[in-house]
Amino acid sequence: MSYDTNNIFAKILRKEIPCNPVVETPHTLAFNDIAPQAPTHILIIPKDAYVTYGDFINNASPEEILDFNQTIATLIEQNGLNEAGYRIISNAGEHGGQEVPHFHVHLLGGRHLGNLLQE
Ligand code: 5GP
């Protein structure tokens, strides 16, 4: 699985294009999605180069994986999503509908999110 260093999130990480950051940690960056699908729509990405969830889990260090997951938990708390609920999604590859080939998780909340899959 080769990593395309010209993908849009790699450019955001290199600060070649701007983003609206929400949280930054040693290993993780979170920023608002440019086309939000819900009142809260945050993208969480590792700073190192991984393509998919599987790539990240198989190849990242335990510190990176812990930092990434703790960042998601922090964002759930910060956005007050625990009570009403939320959804986390990671699209991978063609069948997953992944548009940006840098591993990321979508954190969505703030409204009823409907069915899981919509064609
Ligand atoms: P995917 O389909 O790969 O899971 O989702 C990619 C997400 O990245 C989409 O929700 C899209 O709106 C978002 N996105 C694409 N380009 C940019 C960008 O330049 N800035 C930000 N903040 N989000 C982006």
Side-chain angles (χ1 to χ4, degrees), residues 14 20 22 33 37 51 53 56 58 63 65 67 71 90 102 104 111 116:
R14 291 195 297 266
N20 186 356
V22 183
D33 197 291
Q37 305 291 309
V51 182
Y53 178 82
F56 180 62
N58 286 325
E63 291 76 17
I65 294 171
D67 183 271
T71 301
S90 186
H102 179 111
H104 53 280
R111 69 167 173 83
L116 179 58

Side-chain angles (χ1 to χ4, degrees), residues 8-9 31-35 43 91 97-100 104 106:
I8 201 103
F9 294 169
F31 50 94
N32 289 313
D33 197 291
I34 203 168
L43 299 169
N91 298 317
Q98 183 177 12
E99 290 171 19
V100 181
H104 53 280
H106 299 251

